[in-house]
């Protein structure tokens, strides 16, 4: 009798957990979530391509994601004391393990345009980010 009760009890617990799991998934996947995508300008797109082709991301991060040899570049354009000319100087000269790149002025402008548009999307690290119970993380974009 005792064993029988344990087994039905266990099944009940598992059934409740499965129900919670299903409801949780329905809330996440059916819930309203902001899905507006940022669109890059043509210049920034050209810059993004250069950023990818030259493996900047192997050493640098955007929003904390990427390689860790160099610093995060999310807000490099708006950081006080840095900015477009600062970025170009690093591309011209290289530093430590970062190679010198032989970009044309137009290519450097494109990379700056890309980093400028990335910068406009928000802050990293974002100390004001809010996490909802569904797991959705709400961040304030700079355009808001
Ligand atoms: C092999 C690794 C490597 C690659 C590839 C690389 N970098 Fe770097 N980068 C670094 C390192 C290391 C630093 C200097 C970190 C320091 O100051 O100690 C740096 C510094 C910088 C800085 C200055 C950052 C700051 O906050 O002072 C910028 C801007 C930059 N890199 C842009 C780029 C771009 C754009 C590309 C691609 C075209 C690129 N890097 C490719 C390693 C790399």
């Amino acid at each position: 009798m005792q064993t029988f009760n344990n087994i039905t009890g266990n099944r009940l617990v598992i059934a409740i957990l499965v129900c919670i799991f299903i409801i949780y998934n329905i809330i996440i996947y059916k819930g309203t979530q902001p899905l507006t995508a940022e669109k890059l300008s043509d210049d920034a797109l050209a810059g993004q391509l250069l950023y990818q082709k030259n493996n900047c991301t192997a050493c640098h991060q955007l929003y904390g994601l990427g390689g860790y040899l160099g610093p995060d570049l999310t807000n490099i354009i708006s950081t006080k004391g840095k900015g477009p000319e600062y970025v170009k100087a690093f591309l011209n000269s290289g530093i430590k393990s970062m190679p010198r790149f032989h970009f044309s002025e137009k290519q450097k402008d494109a990379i700056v345009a890309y980093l400028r548009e990335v910068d406009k999307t928000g802050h990293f690290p974002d100390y004001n980010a809010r996490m909802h119970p569904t797991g959705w993380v709400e961040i304030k974009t700079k355009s808001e």
Side-chain angles (χ1 to χ4, degrees), residues 55-56 59-60 69 71 76 82 86 90-91 95-98:
N55 283 329
C56 309
C59 302
H60 292 281
L69 265 178
I76 186 99
K82 299 186 178 177
Y86 182 88
F90 278 95
L91 295 175
I95 178 174
K96 296 182 186 167
S97 55
M98 175 167 163

Side-chain angles (χ1 to χ4, degrees), residues 43-44 46-48 50 105-115:
D43 270 357
Q48 184 185 44
L50 288 167
E105 240 0 89
K106 203 169 168 239
Q107 287 174 316
K108 281 181 265 182
D109 284 338
I111 289 178
V112 164
Y114 173 57
L115 292 173

